[in-house]
Amino acid sequence: MTERIEFGSKAAADSFRDEYADHLCSDDDRRLKTVAISSSAPDHVLETATIEAAAGRSERGGRGGQAEMTDHERESIDFSRTSVPHARSVKGLMIEQGVDDWLAYYDHTLSVDEHREVAKRATRDERGDRLDADTNVDDRLADLEGAQGEQCGHARDHCEDGEDEACEFLVEACGFDEDDVEALVAEAQADDPPGELYGAKNLLWRRYQIAVAEAKEAAAAINEMNDLLGESATAFRELGDRKLTKDDIDW
């Protein structure tokens, strides 16, 4: 995948081009501040470009830089399709724009700078209300669905199924304390029908619902890209031949 990185100035971009000429993509345009780096370039070349570009943009007005990722964030990203510098730069940009749940909007197919438009939409969509410490577990779940989005909702489902990592994510990223999580798991286990077959069926049903929700989100994102590119909306056969847009998604 060709990596396109915008530098703070054309002079900085050309300086990088001169030093790493062997690793540039054939369609790199020296008239631009954005450098096209070949998909075969070593990781250290990409990391150097990302750091130099971020530093240059910060000097022009604080437009963000790289941010360290947590272990959970690293485990959530498929680095066979992207790079660590790319993900860290997107996180830095998203945080600079005030986006809390940056992983929910991360798209490895977009350049770092293309995420600026994504960040603008995310700040409109994301409601960062923190959960009230006096509310009960059910109220926390209701607030969670609206404020933290699908990621925390998915973590809740997996936590109810007894997955420890999902329960830890609820505590670390979604505003739950350990007592809330223990009450949630206990309630889920009390409500589950007896028998291993029923439990397996419930797990598969939850996974199906999650997959459908994620498919709809991806379809809406594709059509949003179609709109930005001036192309007609795509109808997805697997989703009932619907031309889904962001207005059709409950964020």
Side-chain angles (χ1 to χ4, degrees):
M1 179 181 68
T2 298
E3 188 77 30
R4 300 182 186 276
I5 298 178
E6 181 187 1
F7 283 71
S9 66
K10 187 175 180 300
D14 288 342
S15 176
F16 177 85
R17 289 184 172 105
D18 293 339
E19 186 172 355
Y20 297 99
D22 293 340
H23 299 298
L24 301 182
C25 188
S26 59
D27 63 352
D28 179 61
D29 189 342
R30 291 185 68 92
R31 295 172 299 179
L32 305 177
K33 293 187 295 182
T34 300
V35 177
I37 301 176
S38 171
S39 59
S40 62
D43 289 343
H44 77 270
V45 174
L46 286 174
E47 186 166 5
T48 299
T50 305
I51 293 173
E52 291 183 2
R57 291 196 297 270
S58 295
E59 292 174 358
R60 290 195 309 147
R63 293 176 61 190
Q66 290 194 347
E68 291 292 336
M69 291 188 294
T70 65
D71 291 340
H72 169 76
E73 289 169 340
R74 289 176 178 271
E75 292 170 358
S76 300
I77 296 173
D78 181 1
F79 285 107
S80 67
R81 300 190 296 174
T82 187
S83 65
V84 172
H86 183 272
R88 289 177 57 188
S89 295
V90 171
K91 179 180 179 179
L93 183 153
M94 289 288 192
I95 292 175
E96 181 72 19
Q97 296 294 325
V99 179
D100 295 323
D101 189 10
W102 72 278
L103 273 178
Y105 300 93
Y106 178 57
D107 186 342
H108 72 278
T109 65
L110 302 179
S111 70
V112 174
D113 287 304
E114 286 174 329
H115 277 86
R116 297 189 189 282
E117 288 301 318
V118 178
K120 291 178 182 178
R121 175 171 62 85
T123 54
R124 294 194 302 266
D125 294 344
E126 191 175 76
R127 291 177 295 167
D129 299 331
R130 287 296 173 184
L131 299 173
D132 188 335
D134 294 330
T135 56
N136 60 32
V137 173
D138 289 336
D139 290 337
R140 283 176 176 267
L141 289 175
D143 291 341
L144 175 65
E145 294 286 350
Q148 295 291 344
E150 291 296 327
Q151 190 173 23
C152 287
H154 295 169
R156 179 204 67 188
D157 290 339
H158 289 290
C159 180
E160 289 177 341
D161 292 328
E163 297 185 17
D164 293 338
E165 290 185 359
C167 295
E168 291 176 2
F169 181 76
L170 286 179
V171 173
E172 295 174 359
C174 301
F176 276 65
D177 59 38
E178 293 183 359
D179 290 339
D180 290 334
V181 172
E182 289 178 3
L184 176 65
V185 173
E187 182 179 351
Q189 292 176 345
D191 291 339
D192 282 343
E196 294 183 0
L197 291 179
Y198 281 107
K201 178 182 177 181
N202 287 340
L203 176 59
L204 292 172
W205 182 246
R206 289 193 183 102
R207 290 179 177 175
Y208 167 79
Q209 291 173 315
I210 291 169
V212 171
E214 291 179 343
K216 288 181 179 179
E217 290 178 16
I222 290 172
N223 278 332
E224 186 172 352
M225 293 299 105
N226 285 339
D227 183 56
L228 292 174
L229 294 170
E231 300 176 357
S232 59
T234 301
F236 296 88
R237 183 178 67 253
E238 296 83 356
L239 299 174
D241 288 325
R242 298 173 62 190
K243 297 180 179 180
L244 294 172
T245 68
K246 62 181 181 180
D247 294 330
D248 299 312
I249 305 299
D250 294 329
W251 297 101

